[in-house]
Each structure stands twice: as C-alpha cells, then as structure tokens.
C-alpha cells in the first residue's frame, strides 16, 4: 500500500504524506502515526472478517437441508462459536473505533496525533496477540461453548481450547481499553483552538461515548473470563454450584459487558451516518445537540439493561420487569437520532453517492433491528422468542445491517482521504445495493423462522423450515459477493484510482482541510476553528459566490 | 527525547498539556481497575448476603493479626509515597530517593507478611480445592469465602508487586539520574497508582477479617 503514491500518474513529484513517509516494513510495524496504526488495524480486521465469514458460510451451507449432513454436530458447535468470537471481538468491536477512529480522531479535532502514540501501537500488538491466541484455539481443535461462554458448561464440561480462546479475548480486551483511554484523553485535552465540545463532529461524540464504554465495560469482561478460566483450571470458583456458587452470576457479569458492547458496535456507526447525511444532503444536521445528548444517554442507558438477556434464566421477576422497562427506554435516544437524520434529509439536495447509499441502508436496517429489539424486551414475548432465530435476525440487523453498513459507508467516505485515491463509483454502488439485498434476503427469513419456533445453534431442523432456510442461504451467497466486491475495487483503486484531491465530497470538517493523504503531522498549519460543524449552508453560499465570480 | 522543564512530546503543544493528559490518563486507568475489582466485590457481596453464617464462621479463621499489621504497613507506605511526591515537586532528590525506596521496602514487607499468612492458611487446609477442610455445616460455603479471599488478596498482591517494582525502579532512577528533577509527572502517576492499591486493601481488610468478629 505504501508504494502506491510513487506511481501517481498525474503529478510528477508526490507531496510528502504519511504513506510515503518511510517504506520499510519496520516503518509500518513500529509506527506511532495514528493514521498508519489505523491502516494496520484495517488490514487485520479485514482478515478476521473473512475468517469469521467463512465460518458463517459453512453454517449456512449446513442449513440448506433439514437433516444437515455437511458437518458433524460437534463441528457445527465450533463453527458458530468461532463465527461469534471472531466477528464480535476481532471485527465488530475494533472496526470503526480502531480503523476510522484512529485515522480520524486527531484529524477531526485538529491534533497532530493521539495523546499516547506509543500506547496506541501497543494496542494494536495486544489486538494481534489476542487474535493469534484465538486463531490458535480454533486451529488446535476449536471451542464449542458459543461466544457467550456460559458456565458451568465452559468452566466444567466443554472440551476444546476454551482457555486459549478466553486468553485471546482477554488480551485483545486490554488493547480495547488502551484505545478507549487514548481517545478519551485525546478528545478532552487536544482539541484545536476554538473547537468547543458543541462544535465537535458528531462522529467524535460517538467515539468518545464508545471509548467510555470500552474503558468501563471491558475490565468486567476481563475479570469474568479470568474467573471462568480459574474455575476451569482448578475446579473451584465463584460460579461453581458445588461451593454454593451461582452460574447466573456469570451471566450478569458477562452481559454487563456484552450488552454495552452492542453500543460499542453501533454508536460509531451512528457517528458515521451523522457525518454522511448532512454532507450528501448539503444541509446542516438537524438537532445537533439532541444527537449529541442522545449519544451520551445511549451510552449511559446501555449500562443498565443487561438483564434483558436473562429473562428466562431464573432472574427474579421484578428484576426482569425493571430491565424490560429500561430496555424500552434506551430506544428513545436511538429513535431521536433516526428522526433527526430524516429531518436533515427533508428539503436537502440529496445525492446518491456510495457512502449515502450505505447511510440509507443503515437507517432502514437499524430501524428494523431496533424495533424488533422491542419485541424481545417485552417479557412475555421474549419467553416465546428467546434462543430462536428471531434473536439471531434481530442482532444481525443491528450488528451487520447497522454496524457493518456504517463501517462500509465510512470506509467509502474517507477512502479518498486515507489513500488519496477515488474508487470506481458504479462498482461501489453496485456493491452497496448487492449487500443491502443480500443482507435482507439472509436475515429477514430468520425473523419468520424464529417466530415459527426454530431454535438457534442447531445443525438440523424440522422439514417445514426448509424453504426459509434455503432463502437465507441464497441471501448469504449474495451477501458474500457483496463483501468481496469492495475488497477488489478498493485494492484496485490503490494503484489505478484517480487522485482524489483534498475534498472530493466538498464536505465540512477539519479532516477535509488538509491534503489527501494527509502529511505525517496532519496539518501544514495548526487549524483554528471559528464556525459550527456541518456548516453546509454557508459553504453552499460561498461556492455559488465563487461560481458567479468565475462566470 | 530532549530533557528540559519545557520538553514535551511532539503531539503536545506544551509541557502542561502533556502533564494534564498523562494525569488524566492515569485516572481513567484507575477507573478501569475499579471495574476490574468491582466484579469480584460483587461476587463477594452476593455470596455474603446468601450465606451470612458461613462467611462469619470462615472469617473467624482468618489471621487478624497478620491482616491488621499489613493494613498498618500499607497505610504507612501510602504516607511515605505522598511524601515522595512532595519531594519530587520540591525537587529534593535525596529525599525523593529515600522515600521512594522506603515505600518499595514497605511494599515488600507487606508481601512477605502476606506470604507467611498464606503459608499458615494452606497448612491449616484453608486453600480451596481437594485439600480444603472446614467444620460442617459450613464447609462448602466457607470454601467459597476462602476462594474469594485468595482470589481478591491474590489479585491485590499482584498489583502491589507491580507497584513495588515500578517504585523501586523509580527510586534507583532518582538516585542515579536527575530525570525527576526536570519532570516529576511519573512520580505523581506512581503515587496515584499506589494510593489506589492501598484503598483497595482498605476495603478488603474489613470484608475479609472483620465479619462478625465480636460474637
Ligand atoms: Cu442486550
């Protein structure tokens, strides 16, 4: 990737930028440049995405026929565990924060780097070490506990490499904590002069909230997995019923992390969408303050709803009622955001470039995912839907339809800034539409399957579920093509893409005020902020003024 | 990196921004530590509420004299650490060296006492596992108490060990170089960490040693 800028066809002498600032492997692996670290993460999580995707593909193939037969039941258990662990901890959690966040946070706030650049590099190595441990667990024989590691199965009965897998998540978790800490300090202490909190891009608000969640929730996951591992190693532990321990305590601790983790995945995507919608509607965002406060309140409420995963796990009825109400409440700030985005669109000059297609996809799919979450938050309905494909469909609408759509939208939006190149627009649009269609065909049938009672995590099913399962597998094939397309044309653009220029989308925001790709220190002159964010109205007036004077 | 009072890393505008960032980062790190210990405190609370009699009986088997001495040792070490931070601020190198090394020595003393305590408890068959023995009817729930005891004090001791190593290294740095005379941020951060470790113990001590001692 680093050699590409030398072959710029249009300019003779490429400007010094972070990509041509050193070409050796060492200059990448020992870099402290937040932009390069972002790219290191981008390459690594892309690898993990396709590993996790391969497991999903095997599962969908197995589910083509009711009696299965492609893989053994034991292998099927390992496949869904691998899919869950890899996708959650090694793709979704790091995706936007570590790739786009690393690249953009200092640029967006007008800083030269994050507060602790070496710690930032350490984060990546922790991530890689954790990923290596998880991959080793998979290669050495796999884990069949599911990504949730429920005790006493994981601590006592499960075969396989539970310890290596848990160690991988534990280590990568400390990478997450370090990243979150770095972002919080950077956003607090390193904003450019004039960049007050309420002038920050909404993307920064979401990264800030996400970082708070990373920092406050991940330690709980770390200790919980440690306790599970100790119990597995020594046969004594705080979840062990023989000593009066309660396995439900494990679920409380696990979901205290893992529910907020959903917001680690979705909030940054919301931040991306909040950047895309105003840019491609040529309008200032509607209700900036509402969106900023909604972001924070999603983060806060997100910590108070974990019990909705345990409605049928012998949790007290009263706790269930409270968790149910709180889960309903968390939908309010989410809905506020959706309403604000649609209000921004109203009377905007909308263009349908690729990032905007992903933004639209996000809004539609996230809304479905969010509303079906309300079904599950309702106590009585959840008794019927718990552990069925309805749950699978619901959280894939949030995590894939929401988080991955946002990640791809952001990737396409900032790709010209990251690489200095434009990708092939019609192919990118085709991919966006393919992903949207493939996604819905994969997961919408699963809502119906779940409602009809098909349980999750089984390699076989009743024959009457076959038609919907075949539809779902067909959708997954389309989805796979949709995901491979960007891999191809984005790589292609590195060499053959047209030079992007500093601001191809005519977007506001500090990151567009520096060259593409940006220089090592981000800005030639330290920026000073004098205006509100998303000032597209003023920009439009300026542009038309320029045009008139040229005419 | 050039060393002077005004030296700062290139990503910062000036030395005070760097110092503020480092301190703020340390506070956030301590917040993660609270959550890390928090899960264990939650487990303790849940089971103590569920099995109050067994926890009281088990607590009476802990070695109060060891625990009380160690509490005193750690509190004194926190005081010496606070004096070390002050010495760094006042740029008194000898005082800083002595106080840091004294703090580290008190940390080592704490670990030694804890080690003897563990040894006695293991010889009294209080280590959870196959060799655990306790009077009925509380045997299994007392095992939970001692599991939590070894777990929480063990994780705490790990933090003390890390602190001792860092403080000892800083002590030698203060002795050999004048790095802290130019920039005392590191001593400040170390102080925050050490007080945090101390505070964790202040909570652990009554929860472990003082459960219904009076009866
Ligand atoms: Cu949840």
């Amino acid at each position: 990737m680093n050699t590409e800028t030398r072959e710029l066809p249009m300019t003779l002498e490429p400007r010094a930028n972070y990509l041509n600032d050193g070409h050796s492997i060492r200059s990448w692996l020992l870099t402290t440049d937040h932009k390069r670290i972002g790219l290191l993460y981008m390459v690594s999580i892309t690898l993990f995405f396709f590993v996790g995707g391969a497991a999903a593909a095997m599962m969908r193939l197995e589910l083509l026929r009711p009696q299965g037969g492609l893989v053994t039941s034991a292998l099927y258990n390992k496949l869904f565990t691998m899919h869950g662990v890899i996708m959650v901890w090694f793709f979704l959690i790091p995706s936007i924060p570590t790739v786009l966040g690393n690249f953009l946070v200092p640029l967006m706030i007008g800083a030269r780097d994050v507060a602790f650049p070496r710690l930032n590099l350490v984060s990546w190595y922790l991530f890689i070490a954790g990923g290596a441990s998880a991959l080793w667990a998979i290669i050495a024989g796999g884990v069949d506990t599911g990504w949730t590691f429920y005790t006493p199965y994981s601590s006592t009965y499960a075969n396989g490499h539970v310890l290596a897998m848990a160690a991988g998540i534990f280590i990568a978790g400390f990478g997450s904590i370090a990243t979150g800490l770095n972002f919080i300090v950077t956003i607090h202490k390193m904003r450019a002069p004039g960049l007050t909190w309420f002038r920050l891009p909404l993307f920064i608000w979401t990264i800030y909230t996400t970082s708070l969640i990373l920092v406050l929730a991940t330690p709980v996951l770390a200790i919980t997995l440690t306790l599970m591992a100790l119990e597995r190693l020594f046969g004594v532990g705080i979840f062990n019923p023989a000593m009066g321990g309660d396995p439900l305590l494990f679920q409380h601790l696990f979901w205290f992390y893992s529910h907020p983790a959903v917001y680690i995945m979705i909030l940054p995507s919301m931040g991306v969408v909040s950047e895309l919608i105003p840019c491609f509607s040529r309008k200032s965002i509607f209700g900036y303050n509402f969106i900023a406060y909604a972001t924070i309140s999603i983060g806060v409420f997100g910590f108070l709803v974990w019990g909705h995963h345990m409605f049928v796990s012998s949790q007290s009825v009263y706790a269930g009622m409270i968790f149910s109400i709180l889960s309903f409440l968390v939908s309010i700030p989410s809905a506020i955001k959706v309403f604000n985005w649609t209000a921004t669109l109203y009377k905007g000059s909308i263009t349908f470039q690729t990032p905007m297609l992903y933004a639209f996809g996000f809004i539609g799919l996230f809304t479905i995912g969010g509303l079906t979450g309300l079904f599950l938050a309702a106590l009585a309905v959840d008794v019927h839907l718990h552990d069925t494909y309805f749950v699978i469909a619901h959280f894939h609408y949030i995590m894939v339809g929401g988080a991955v759509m946002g990640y791809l939208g952001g990737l396409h939006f900032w790709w010209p800034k990251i690489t200095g190149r434009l990708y092939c627009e019609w192919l990118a649009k085709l991919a966006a539409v393919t992903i949207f269609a493939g996604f819905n065909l994969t997961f919408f049938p699963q809502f119906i399957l779940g409602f009809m009672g098909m349980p999750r995590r089984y390699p076989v099913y009743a024959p009457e579920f076959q038609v919907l399962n075949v539809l779902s597998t067909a959708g997954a094939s389309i989805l796979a093509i949709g995901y491979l397309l960007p891999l191809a044309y984005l790589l292609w653009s590195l060499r053959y893409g047209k030079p992007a220029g500093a601001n191809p989308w005519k977007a506001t925001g500090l990151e567009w005020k520096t060259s593409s790709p940006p220089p090592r220190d981000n800005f030639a002159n330290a920026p000073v902020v004098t205006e509100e964010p998303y000032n597209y109205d003023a920009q439009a007036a300026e542009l038309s003024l320029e045009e008139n004077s040229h005419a | 990196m050039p060393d002077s009072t005004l030296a700062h890393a290139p990503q910062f505008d000036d030395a005070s921004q760097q110092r503020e960032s480092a301190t703020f980062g340390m506070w956030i790190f301590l917040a993660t530590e609270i959550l890390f210990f928090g899960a264990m405190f939650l487990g303790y609370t849940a089971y103590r509420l569920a099995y109050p009699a067994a926890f009281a009986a088990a607590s009476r088997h802990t070695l109060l004299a060891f625990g009380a001495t160690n509490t005193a040792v750690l509190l004194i070490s926190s005081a010496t650490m606070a004096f070390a931070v002050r010495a760094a601020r006042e740029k008194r190198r000898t005082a800083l060296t002595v106080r840091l090394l004294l703090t580290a020595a008190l940390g080592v003393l704490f670990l030694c006492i804890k080690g003897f305590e563990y040894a006695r408890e293991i010889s009294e068959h209080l280590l959870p596992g196959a060799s655990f023995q306790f009077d009925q009817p509380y045997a299994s729930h007392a095992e939970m108490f001692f599991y939590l005891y070894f777990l929480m004090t063990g994780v705490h001791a790990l933090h003390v060990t890390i602190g001792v190593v860092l403080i000892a290294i800083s002590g030698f740095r203060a002795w050999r170089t004048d790095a802290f005379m130019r920039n005392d941020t590191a001593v400040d951060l170390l102080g925050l960490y050490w007080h945090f470790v101390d505070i964790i113990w202040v909570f652990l001590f009554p929860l472990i040693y003082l459960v219904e001692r009076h009866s």
Side-chain angles (χ1 to χ4, degrees):
Chain A
M1 200 176 282
N2 51 338
T3 57
E4 300 310 328
T5 42
R6 283 187 296 190
E7 274 128 24
L8 266 179
M10 313 196 48
T11 50
L12 298 168
E13 191 81 350
R15 217 188 315 219
N17 62 54
Y18 81 101
L19 289 173
N20 62 22
D21 179 39
H23 296 287
S24 60
I25 299 278
R26 187 191 156 87
S27 76
W28 281 88
L29 293 183
L30 292 180
T31 183
T32 53
D33 182 349
H34 66 98
K35 302 182 284 301
R36 285 193 168 201
I37 292 171
L39 288 187
L40 290 176
Y41 269 113
M42 187 195 288
V43 173
S44 358
I45 70 163
T46 306
L47 285 173
F48 283 115
F49 178 76
F50 284 102
V51 171
M58 297 267 286
M59 284 151 68
R60 282 316 323 164
L61 286 175
E62 162 76 13
L63 294 173
L64 266 177
R65 294 187 304 171
Q67 72 278 25
L70 177 68
V71 297
T72 61
S73 305
L75 179 57
Y76 188 83
N77 292 349
K78 290 173 182 174
L79 284 174
F80 68 67
T81 305
M82 166 181 164
H83 172 68
V85 169
I86 296 289
M87 285 303 201
V88 168
W89 282 295
F90 297 98
F91 177 71
L92 285 166
I93 299 258
S95 61
I96 297 183
T98 63
V99 178
L100 298 175
N102 257 322
F103 193 89
L104 290 168
V105 166
L107 280 169
M108 281 182 162
I109 66 170
R112 284 181 290 278
D113 207 321
V114 293
F116 311 115
R118 272 179 297 177
L119 181 67
N120 204 14
L121 182 64
V122 170
S123 303
W124 182 72
Y125 277 101
L126 288 170
F127 175 71
I128 292 298
S133 183
L135 285 179
W136 185 83
I138 289 165
I139 294 164
V143 179
D144 63 354
T145 59
W147 76 282
T148 46
F149 294 99
Y150 272 19
T151 55
Y153 183 69
S154 59
S155 58
T156 312
Y157 303 106
N159 298 309
H161 296 75
V162 179
L163 291 178
M165 195 67 124
I169 297 164
F170 181 90
I171 297 166
F174 280 93
S176 289
I177 291 173
T179 300
L181 188 152
N182 227 329
F183 285 159
I184 294 173
V185 176
T186 306
I187 295 168
H188 264 274
K189 299 288 178 192
M190 303 183 75
R191 302 190 309 276
L195 190 54
T196 58
W197 280 91
F198 285 91
R199 281 178 175 172
L200 284 172
L202 288 163
F203 179 76
I204 296 292
W205 276 97
T206 60
I207 289 291
Y208 180 74
T209 310
T210 303
S211 302
L212 285 176
I213 301 173
L214 281 171
V215 157
L216 296 177
T218 317
V220 178
L221 175 75
I223 186 68
T224 307
L225 291 177
T226 307
L227 291 171
M228 182 271 287
L230 287 174
E231 192 161 332
R232 194 175 164 83
L233 277 171
F234 301 113
V236 287
I238 73 170
F239 309 124
N240 186 350
M243 293 160 60
D246 189 347
L248 191 64
L249 181 63
F250 175 88
Q251 296 180 28
H252 274 293
L253 293 172
F254 180 82
W255 290 110
F256 181 83
Y257 165 82
S258 290
H259 185 83
V262 174
Y263 298 104
I264 297 174
M265 304 173 204
I266 200 71
L267 277 172
S269 267
M270 292 172 155
V272 168
V273 171
S274 301
E275 300 296 312
L276 300 182
I277 297 279
C279 178
F280 294 101
S281 322
R282 315 311 302 169
K283 267 184 74 189
S284 177
I285 190 108
F286 181 85
Y288 174 97
N289 289 13
F290 273 95
I291 299 184
Y293 286 126
T295 302
I296 297 286
S297 47
I298 288 174
V300 173
F301 277 112
F303 269 107
L304 306 174
V305 300
W306 75 88
H308 63 211
H309 295 269
M310 291 128 64
F311 285 160
V312 296
S313 304
S314 85
Q315 174 183 251
S316 97
V317 182
Y318 301 103
M321 284 157 70
I322 290 165
F323 281 123
S324 172
I325 292 165
L326 287 168
S327 302
F328 274 96
L329 287 181
V330 85
S331 67
I332 294 172
S334 310
I336 285 175
K337 290 194 167 200
V338 173
F339 289 133
N340 279 289
W341 293 324
T342 42
T344 307
L345 293 170
Y346 180 67
K347 287 191 174 172
S349 317
I350 299 169
T351 49
F352 294 89
Q353 272 125 319
T354 310
M356 190 60 158
L357 294 183
Y358 282 109
F360 282 132
F362 175 96
I363 295 177
L365 300 180
F366 172 75
T367 304
I368 295 176
L371 289 175
T372 51
L374 296 181
F375 292 42
L376 295 168
L379 283 168
V381 184
D382 185 64
V383 175
H384 174 60
L385 296 175
H386 186 86
D387 259 353
T388 69
Y389 265 84
F390 192 92
V391 177
I392 304 288
H394 155 68
F395 74 71
H396 279 85
Y397 265 78
I398 298 285
M399 292 180 185
V400 186
V404 180
M405 282 291 200
Y407 173 66
L408 287 174
L411 198 60
H412 283 83
F413 186 58
W414 284 290
W415 187 260
K417 178 56 62 185
I418 295 170
T419 65
R421 301 295 185 123
L422 295 172
Y423 46 81
C424 172
E425 181 71 20
W426 73 267
L427 258 177
K429 280 182 179 162
L430 178 70
V433 172
T434 309
I435 289 172
F436 184 80
F439 173 83
N440 280 299
L441 188 56
T442 309
F443 291 104
F444 202 83
Q446 297 186 6
F447 278 126
I448 306 168
L449 282 170
F451 201 78
M452 288 161 70
M454 179 169 162
R456 64 191 288 197
R457 291 179 169 175
Y458 281 81
V460 292
Y461 54 83
E464 57 264 38
F465 296 142
Q466 187 172 14
V467 173
L468 288 166
N469 269 296
V470 169
L471 283 178
S472 180
T473 302
S477 326
I478 298 172
L479 193 55
I481 294 168
Y483 285 140
L484 286 168
L485 274 174
L487 188 69
Y489 66 74
L490 288 178
L491 285 175
W492 181 88
S493 79
L494 289 177
R495 187 173 282 267
Y496 304 107
K498 289 197 205 98
N503 191 357
W505 313 114
K506 301 210 169 23
T508 63
L510 288 178
E511 77 271 27
W512 301 106
K513 297 208 159 50
T514 184
S515 51
S516 308
R520 169 66 182 87
D521 289 332
N522 292 348
F523 298 94
N525 305 307
V528 176
V529 179
T530 53
E531 56 173 17
E532 304 308 307
Y534 312 108
N535 206 348
Y536 285 102
D537 307 330
Q539 193 203 39
E542 225 169 82
L543 286 176
S544 71
L545 210 71
E546 257 171 51
E547 260 163 46
N548 289 340
S549 63
H550 285 303
Chain B
M1 206 190 299
D3 276 317
S4 86
T5 321
L6 294 171
H8 56 87
Q11 72 272 23
F12 294 109
D13 292 333
D14 52 47
S16 77
Q17 188 189 30
Q18 174 165 342
R19 188 192 177 97
E20 280 174 27
S21 299
T23 311
F24 188 41
M26 190 65 194
W27 279 105
I28 296 171
F29 171 73
L30 295 182
T32 72
E33 287 277 32
I34 289 173
L35 270 296
F36 191 81
F37 277 97
M40 292 183 279
F41 279 103
L42 176 76
Y44 175 93
T45 310
Y47 295 132
R48 179 164 163 182
L49 289 174
Y51 317 119
F55 269 47
S59 174
R60 274 180 230 122
H61 280 74
T62 56
L63 305 165
L64 182 58
F66 284 82
T69 315
N70 255 347
T71 307
V73 169
L74 265 198
L75 286 175
I76 294 167
S77 82
S78 241
T80 57
M81 188 70 216
F83 289 130
V85 169
R86 186 162 170 180
R89 199 161 295 166
E90 291 168 354
K91 306 206 181 304
R92 293 161 55 204
R93 213 173 113 192
T94 319
L96 174 65
T97 307
V98 170
R99 290 165 188 184
L100 281 176
L101 292 177
L102 187 60
T103 308
L106 286 165
V108 171
L109 179 63
F110 173 91
L111 289 171
C112 290
I113 294 173
K114 197 77 219 150
F116 284 116
E117 193 182 345
Y118 280 157
R120 266 207 36 203
E121 279 148 355
I122 291 168
S123 71
E124 288 171 16
H125 301 288
L126 292 173
L127 181 70
S131 64
F132 184 82
Q133 282 171 21
F134 201 85
D135 307 334
Q136 291 296 345
Y138 297 130
S140 67
H141 297 161
E143 191 176 5
M144 176 63 81
F145 174 89
F146 277 100
Y147 178 78
L148 285 161
Y149 161 74
F150 278 102
L151 175 77
M152 294 168 90
T153 56
V155 175
H156 176 261
L158 182 69
H159 281 77
V160 173
T161 310
I162 293 168
V164 164
V165 170
L166 293 176
I167 292 170
I169 291 172
S170 302
F172 282 109
R173 267 190 83 191
W175 181 24
R176 291 287 190 186
T177 73
D178 61 349
F180 296 131
M181 297 300 104
R182 292 189 300 260
N183 186 348
D184 64 338
T185 309
V187 180
D188 239 27
L189 302 187
L190 213 49
L192 283 175
Y193 175 80
W194 191 250
H195 298 316
F196 166 80
V197 171
D198 204 9
I199 288 170
I200 292 288
W201 180 261
V202 167
F203 281 92
L204 281 178
F205 175 66
L207 291 180
I208 288 162
Y209 298 89
L210 303 181
V211 185
E212 294 194 32
R213 274 277 171 187
H214 54 271
S215 54

